[in-house]
Amino acid sequence: MDKEEIRFVLPLSFSTKISSQLISRHLKDLQSPQYGFYYRGRPMFYVKEETVIADVPVFAHLYHDERRKADEIDHLMRRIVELEALVDKKEFWSKEEVWKHLEQALKGSGKLFDVIGQKPRFQLKRKVKAISRLMNRMGKTIILTNDSNLGREDLLSLYRRKDALEKMFDVIKNELECGRLKVSSREAMEGRLFLTYLSLIIYSALSRIMKEQDLYKSYTLSEVIYELKKLRVVTLNSGKSYLTEISKKQRMLFEKFGVPIPVAP
């Protein structure tokens, strides 16, 4: 793109060596009042560095959001404690089984623990340095561009518009489980796409409410949907219907979403 003189805005993956170097060099700067600014009502920190990647000169823009970091650390520590308790209570017959369970529960969590003990009882031992490195990245975003005219607010706005669209497509593919369209007609394809986008609208609306109600600190959206799926209407042979018992957690969720407590038809 640089050779063809195409302007670009790209996020830098935290799995790369240069991202670790950039964060290490500017870790103190990204917490200093000297580099603080406000973006859409949120305090943030920002530094810019000109660097070279694969012989291409680029501008690396580093952003740090303390509020986002606090939320991400809260979520991480909650999951770490949950995983430790789960492994401690559950019986496993090999360390491989424990690793597999960890990866299914939280992708990448295998890098955060050592597994100790013997079958059928194992325990997790935290890798403090690995967890600390992960926390150092939290709340941070690194954006690369070859456009020297983009300011910090303009660049962040461009990136967030792109990031929002990418996340929506990721939701369609993974959360809504809409992968390849295995259909035999155009009408079926259009119908499935229509239902997919209706589902995405509902998903986005629920996600917005969860953010407003701070539900993401305790649940994922999938966990909320799974909890509410337990509620069922049972119809007897006599034709009479009744609703299964509504749990305390379900009542709380209905109240948070502003939905009346359901009653049997």
Side-chain angles (χ1 to χ4, degrees):
M1 288 187 290
D2 186 72
K3 185 177 180 180
E4 297 296 327
E5 298 184 353
I6 298 173
R7 292 185 299 170
F8 60 80
V9 173
L10 298 171
L12 180 62
S13 172
F14 286 119
S15 63
T16 60
K17 183 177 180 181
I18 189 170
S19 66
S20 300
Q21 293 172 341
L22 286 167
I23 290 176
S24 179
R25 283 200 293 270
H26 297 289
L27 192 59
K28 291 184 179 180
D29 294 337
L30 290 171
Q31 297 174 339
S32 170
Q34 181 179 352
Y35 299 100
F37 74 105
Y38 257 79
Y39 178 78
R40 296 183 180 178
R42 293 176 71 105
M44 298 185 70
F45 300 88
Y46 164 85
V47 292
K48 175 182 176 182
E49 179 181 315
E50 189 172 359
T51 187
V52 176
I53 299 178
D55 298 325
V56 177
V58 294
F59 297 95
H61 298 254
L62 288 79
Y63 298 86
H64 177 67
D65 185 336
E66 278 287 350
R67 196 181 304 176
R68 197 184 98 199
K69 179 181 180 179
D71 290 341
E72 290 176 352
I73 289 178
D74 179 86
H75 178 74
L76 173 67
M77 294 308 303
R78 179 170 60 87
R79 295 309 303 272
I80 285 176
V81 172
E82 288 174 353
L83 288 173
E84 289 173 337
L86 184 62
V87 172
D88 190 51
K89 294 177 182 178
K90 191 176 175 65
E91 291 186 349
F92 297 92
W93 299 103
S94 68
K95 287 188 177 182
E96 289 72 21
E97 188 181 349
V98 179
W99 291 124
K100 184 177 180 181
H101 185 79
L102 286 175
E103 194 62 25
Q104 289 176 344
L106 180 62
K107 187 176 180 180
S109 58
K111 300 178 181 178
L112 307 179
F113 300 100
D114 284 321
V115 177
I116 58 176
Q118 295 180 341
K119 66 177 183 180
R121 293 293 182 183
F122 292 94
Q123 290 181 322
L124 298 180
K125 182 180 179 181
R126 298 179 189 179
K127 292 183 178 179
V128 177
K129 289 185 178 180
I131 295 173
S132 297
R133 284 195 298 268
L134 181 58
M135 286 182 172
N136 283 338
R137 299 198 317 239
M138 289 182 170
K140 295 176 178 62
T141 303
I142 304 176
I143 305 175
L144 302 178
T145 182
N146 57 351
D147 189 343
S148 60
N149 296 319
L150 284 175
R152 62 189 182 191
E153 286 89 353
D154 293 336
L155 182 66
L156 194 55
S157 296
L158 281 172
Y159 168 72
R160 288 194 169 179
R161 286 206 302 267
K162 168 181 171 291
D163 185 56
L165 291 173
E166 288 179 346
K167 285 180 178 178
M168 289 299 100
F169 278 102
D170 183 69
V171 167
I172 289 175
K173 182 179 178 181
N174 297 306
E175 298 293 334
L176 302 180
E177 298 180 357
C178 298
R180 293 183 178 180
L181 295 174
K182 297 179 180 180
V183 294
S184 57
S185 67
R186 182 181 179 86
E187 290 77 11
M189 178 192 71
E190 291 176 348
R192 185 169 177 182
L193 286 175
F194 177 69
L195 292 175
T196 296
Y197 280 105
L198 283 181
S199 301
L200 182 61
I201 291 170
I202 295 171
Y203 186 100
S204 300
L206 293 175
S207 181
R208 176 181 57 80
I209 295 173
M210 286 189 67
K211 290 178 182 177
E212 293 173 351
Q213 298 293 332
D214 285 333
L215 287 172
Y216 274 119
K217 290 183 177 180
S218 304
Y219 308 96
T220 64
L221 184 49
S222 297
E223 290 171 341
V224 169
I225 294 173
Y226 176 77
E227 182 64 33
L228 296 179
K229 280 173 64 177
K230 297 177 183 178
L231 195 61
R232 299 178 183 275
V233 173
V234 179
T235 303
L236 303 178
N237 291 333
S238 61
K240 184 178 180 180
S241 299
Y242 70 92
L243 193 67
T244 55
E245 184 179 358
I246 302 175
S247 68
K248 183 178 179 181
K249 186 183 292 185
Q250 289 169 341
R251 288 182 180 275
M252 180 274 294
L253 290 173
F254 281 124
E255 290 174 2
K256 291 288 187 180
F257 282 98
V259 177
I261 302 296
V263 295

